[in-house]
Amino acid sequence: MSMTLTFEEYFDPDLTLIRDFYEACFARYDADLTERVFVVKDGHWLIGALRIRHEEGYYHLCGLQLLPHYQQRGIGSCLLDFACKQLDNRPVLCQALPFERDFYLKVGFSLCQVSDMPEPLRSRLRQQQELGYQVEPLMREGGEPSHCTVVRQLVFQPV
């Protein structure tokens, strides 16, 4: 099966498409116009979305969703690489759940101490941990080399 993938930043201020996509992935999404949204499409079909927010001195990765039958093919790492190349070499921070940890470590993130995290992210992380969420702070330095490893049968067409 051949796919034609397109990676692009989503600029439409109507975020209904992104909200509907998150719901299709059984994930929660509250529309936030301060976030930058990057998407990957197979033909005309939205198959993945990444949300990132600019904070002072870094970017906060707010969410990364990919339809299940497109996972384990390197598409998520390519979407992340595409988004990071659009940023201005600032580090990207995220709070990873246990099942996400290996993916983020594989694509260039490393463990980060809570005390090294800037506010307000440090406070948000502590609140999540106090509520019982097992989240870990991870960071990917700006200018990190590509970790995109799309399998052979894909046709890669960045916009």
Side-chain angles (χ1 to χ4, degrees):
M1 179 174 115
S2 179
M3 291 181 266
T4 302
L5 299 180
T6 306
F7 296 83
E8 61 190 35
E9 187 164 2
Y10 185 81
F11 290 107
D12 191 340
D14 179 4
L15 296 171
T16 305
L17 176 67
I18 304 303
R19 186 201 63 223
D20 291 349
F21 175 76
Y22 264 72
E23 287 178 6
C25 294
F26 302 102
R28 183 172 171 234
Y29 172 61
D30 296 319
D32 185 344
L33 293 175
T34 64
E35 294 175 349
R36 292 176 69 178
V37 179
F38 297 89
V39 297
V40 57
K41 295 178 182 177
D42 180 5
H44 296 290
W45 297 101
L46 179 63
I47 63 165
L50 178 145
R51 300 173 12 252
I52 198 159
R53 181 182 307 118
H54 180 262
E55 304 281 355
E56 190 172 326
Y58 67 95
Y59 285 93
H60 176 211
L61 179 60
C62 303
L64 173 58
Q65 294 292 327
L66 196 63
L67 290 177
H69 56 281
Y70 287 92
Q71 294 175 7
Q72 303 296 318
R73 299 179 182 207
I75 299 169
S77 60
C78 289
L79 178 57
L80 183 61
D81 279 346
F82 175 79
C84 287
K85 286 178 185 171
Q86 312 307 309
L87 308 177
D88 52 1
N89 266 350
R90 292 182 186 194
V92 177
L93 296 165
C94 74
Q95 298 122 293
L97 293 166
F99 68 91
E100 300 169 324
R101 183 180 193 262
D102 290 342
F103 167 77
Y104 285 115
L105 292 175
K106 185 176 97 178
V107 296
F109 282 79
S110 57
L111 294 174
C112 175
Q113 296 298 319
V114 175
S115 58
D116 294 336
M117 296 181 75
E119 286 293 348
L121 202 53
R122 183 178 345 147
S123 296
R124 278 188 237 147
L125 180 70
R126 286 198 176 119
Q127 287 173 339
Q128 290 173 332
Q129 290 171 335
E130 288 170 4
L131 291 171
Y133 292 99
Q134 296 178 340
V135 291
E136 280 186 278
L138 300 175
M139 180 174 64
R140 177 175 163 156
E141 292 293 339
E144 188 68 23
S146 177
H147 295 273
C148 182
T149 56
V150 175
V151 293
R152 279 180 274 141
Q153 75 261 27
L154 302 180
V155 177
F156 181 71
Q157 291 185 325
V159 175

